[in-house]
Amino acid sequence: MSAAAPPGLLKAFIIRHWPELRLRTLLFGALLLAAALPMLGALLVLRPPPVLLDSLWEERHGLALAAVVVLALLMLLAATLARTIVGPVERLSEASRILAAGQGKIPDNPSLKVTEIEQLYADFRTMEAAIARRSRYLRDFAASVSHEFKTPLAGISGAIELIEDHGGEMTDAERRTFLGNMQADSERLSRLVKRMMDLAKADMQPGDDTAIADPLHAVYAIAEQYERDGFSFTYNLPRDGMRMRIGQDAVEAIITTLIENAQQAGATNLHIAVSNRGLTFTDNGPGIAPADRERIFEPFFTSKRADGGTGLGLAIARSLAEAYGGRLELVESDSNGTRFKLSPRNG
């Protein structure tokens, strides 16, 4: 028969293992209560044992130091984020509001190099440059429109005034002359409006990335319409068919513009070469004056205004090419002729 444990040892065991015994007792009681009564849930509230509180108190200096270190690291992280991300983004946001008002400039890149922020600043500069170019284009376009419309409108208005004041004194021939001038000015206005609509469509409408054109078909179909006595075509074309990454309507409009441009320049022959690198158009006209070569693609610039030129043909052609990711450029021009090249989009 085993001897009973002394009361002192039992008390010491209970004190030493009290947290574990209390937790097991509470859990056992909770299980009995759950088995006896229907319940929705249970909430167990425990008080930390004295041993845990004593341990925390003994480590209070180390815990306080750790809290200070964590707080300092958080403050350092916040300051770094403010300097490298928050500050630059706020300055860029302020610059965008100033730019929207039509003034200001983009701030310099932040001193700390963050790849994403630098890329954001670079993209913003690209956008600012595009907006500036667009603004200059619109200002120049508005000035050109005003100038181009002013001349025929003044002619029509002057003719109407003369007819009103002196119509009874005019002969039939004089009256027909004034009416003919008015008709010519009105037709010029109509051409200007139509070409401006074509330019707006080419300039603003994005091209279809999946568009494919047959340049050989376009060359043969259009050249046949313009071939006549005093103007001929020669070709350097591939034997097999080929395709270009551009809209069929766009390539036909560009070819038509370049043919008409060669005829208006006084050329008698236009050589068209087609390859995988694009189309080249070489005429035998007198060439483009050196002072005009940088301006030939500007809207309303023309040296043939007296012959009815609107100065919008090459501007429309270039806009059409760029809408599909291509390029139309003046390759060379001298007294022996002029060469243009239409390059398709790569890829």
Side-chain angles (χ1 to χ4, degrees):
M1 182 176 181
S2 61
L9 292 177
L10 181 60
K11 182 178 180 180
F13 177 81
I14 294 174
I15 292 175
R16 182 177 179 182
H17 297 281
W18 171 244
E20 182 180 352
L21 292 173
R22 184 172 63 175
L23 178 60
R24 291 184 178 183
T25 302
L26 290 174
L27 290 175
F28 182 71
L31 291 174
L32 291 177
L33 187 61
L37 297 173
M39 299 179 62
L40 296 177
L43 177 64
L44 179 62
V45 180
L46 297 176
R47 187 178 66 179
V51 177
L52 178 59
L53 294 177
D54 293 341
S55 299
L56 292 176
W57 179 253
E58 291 176 0
E59 300 294 336
R60 64 185 182 276
H61 299 295
L63 293 174
L65 179 61
V68 171
V69 171
V70 171
L71 181 60
L73 290 175
L74 289 176
M75 293 177 64
L76 179 62
L77 178 61
T80 303
L81 290 176
R83 184 177 179 184
T84 59
I85 297 179
V86 178
V89 170
E90 288 181 347
R91 290 194 295 272
L92 200 59
S93 177
E94 177 66 20
S96 67
R97 290 191 290 270
I98 296 175
L99 184 63
Q103 54 188 340
K105 65 176 184 178
I106 301 175
D108 296 331
N109 283 358
S111 56
L112 294 180
K113 303 298 183 182
V114 179
T115 303
E116 290 77 8
I117 296 299
E118 287 186 333
Q119 185 62 46
L120 181 62
Y121 270 64
D123 293 341
F124 198 90
R125 283 191 173 86
T126 301
M127 181 189 70
E128 189 273 340
I131 292 175
R133 287 195 302 269
R134 198 67 180 172
S135 297
R136 290 193 298 270
Y137 173 82
L138 291 176
R139 287 195 299 268
D140 295 343
F141 187 82
S144 299
V145 168
S146 176
H147 173 76
E148 292 296 326
F149 275 66
K150 185 182 299 183
T151 301
L153 285 175
I156 293 174
S157 177
I160 292 175
E161 184 176 349
L162 285 173
I163 292 176
E164 288 179 344
D165 294 342
H166 307 285
E169 304 171 3
M170 291 182 180
T171 63
D172 291 342
E174 292 175 335
R175 192 177 292 106
R176 283 194 299 271
T177 299
F178 280 109
L179 291 176
N181 292 337
M182 293 171 61
Q183 182 177 0
D185 287 334
S186 65
E187 290 175 352
R188 174 168 176 77
L189 287 174
S190 298
R191 287 196 303 271
L192 283 171
V193 171
K194 181 181 182 302
R195 298 301 273 172
M196 287 173 59
M197 293 177 65
D198 293 339
L199 177 62
K201 181 179 179 181
D203 198 36
M204 301 301 294
Q205 182 177 353
D208 183 1
D209 292 338
T210 63
I212 299 295
D214 182 355
L216 298 182
H217 174 76
V219 167
Y220 285 129
I222 298 172
E224 184 180 1
Q225 302 175 22
Y226 285 88
E227 191 165 14
R228 59 174 183 263
D229 292 340
F231 190 85
S232 61
F233 292 90
T234 55
Y235 306 98
N236 183 7
L237 307 177
R239 294 181 179 180
D240 299 328
M242 62 168 292
R243 296 291 184 269
M244 289 181 61
R245 301 179 69 86
I246 188 173
Q248 187 70 30
D249 292 342
V251 75
E252 291 177 0
I254 294 171
I255 293 173
T256 300
T257 296
L258 294 176
I259 292 175
E260 292 178 349
N261 194 69
Q263 288 182 341
Q264 292 173 2
T268 59
N269 177 265
L270 180 65
H271 180 76
I272 302 176
V274 180
S275 69
N276 292 330
R277 291 174 295 180
L279 283 71
T280 58
F281 302 81
T282 308
D283 66 43
N284 62 348
I288 301 172
D292 296 341
R293 293 171 190 172
E294 297 295 327
R295 302 187 58 194
I296 59 173
F297 291 104
E298 294 180 7
F300 299 107
F301 177 78
T302 178
S303 58
K304 306 294 182 182
R305 184 167 281 104
D307 299 329
T310 61
L312 292 173
L314 288 176
I316 294 171
R318 168 171 277 189
S319 295
L320 286 172
E322 292 177 348
Y324 288 90
R327 186 173 69 255
L328 178 64
E329 56 188 336
L330 173 65
V331 178
E332 59 181 342
S333 182
D334 53 31
S335 59
N336 296 320
T338 300
R339 176 177 299 172
F340 288 93
K341 183 176 181 180
L342 171 63
S343 303
R345 174 170 60 91
N346 295 326

